[in-house]
Amino acid sequence: RVAAALSCAAAAVVGLVFSASEVARLGGPRQLLGAGPGERRDLVVNDPLPAYTEARVLPPDSRTLFVGEPRGYGFPRRFVAPSQHDVSPLRPLLEGSVPIAAVLARLAGQGITHLLVNDGELARLAAAYPVAPATSVAGRRRWRELLEALGPPVVATGGVRVWPLPRGPSPV
């Protein structure tokens, strides 16, 4: 019993020391009470929250497909956010020979009304995960064509952009 108690106490001390050192590394105990805007910027990589706040302008019935952004917490509307381990749902469409108008029609057929792209997170994750909407030269060209076909985004802040997809006939 003494050996078990000492073993548990030693594990608890090691855990407490490690936890305290990590809290100190991240800015100290005040971080436990909530980070301010400047501190949040230091703690959250490619933070989508400012854009999520602006996305309140989207229609209540909208459904947004996230590209390169697996974090959906705080987004004010319905969304589809593939994880970083999932192949982008756009890849089969952009790597094939489907016209851009047909890509837009397929997205609309799935109930997608908007497209959200976090450029910083997409670049960061694409180095190790299959989140990129296209990997070939032709696919990347078609990705740019798709974004150009959408026109200006309705939300653009902190490297995160949100475009409405065209309703009705495609402009392409």
Side-chain angles (χ1 to χ4, degrees):
R1 290 185 188 198
V2 173
L6 287 174
S7 177
C8 287
V13 167
V14 168
L16 285 172
V17 168
F18 177 76
S19 296
S21 68
E22 286 299 297
V23 168
R25 185 179 67 82
L26 293 174
R30 68 189 171 102
Q31 294 297 332
L32 299 174
L33 302 174
E39 295 157 337
R40 180 174 171 74
R41 184 178 52 250
D42 294 338
L43 294 173
V44 180
V45 177
N46 301 314
D47 188 6
L49 200 55
Y52 289 3
T53 301
E54 287 188 26
R56 291 186 184 127
V57 300
L58 301 181
D61 62 341
S62 65
R63 185 170 183 231
T64 303
L65 174 63
F66 287 16
V67 178
E69 178 54 72
R71 303 165 290 187
Y73 180 76
F75 193 74
R77 303 291 184 252
R78 293 179 306 141
F79 62 88
V80 176
S83 82
Q84 68 271 18
H85 300 286
D86 297 322
V87 173
S88 172
L90 292 173
R91 190 176 295 176
L93 302 172
L94 295 174
E95 293 291 356
S97 59
V98 177
I100 297 298
V103 170
L104 293 169
R106 286 190 188 176
L107 291 172
Q110 296 170 7
I112 303 297
T113 62
H114 292 78
L115 194 65
L116 177 143
V117 179
N118 184 333
D119 293 317
E121 195 68 358
L122 178 59
R124 185 180 80 83
L125 292 176
Y129 298 99
V131 298
T135 56
S136 69
V137 172
R140 288 191 296 273
R141 179 184 45 76
R142 291 170 47 76
W143 168 241
R144 287 189 300 276
E145 288 173 10
L146 173 68
L147 295 181
E148 289 169 6
L150 297 177
V154 292
V155 171
T157 186
V160 179
R161 298 173 291 165
V162 180
W163 287 270
L165 298 184
R167 296 181 185 229
S170 173
V172 180

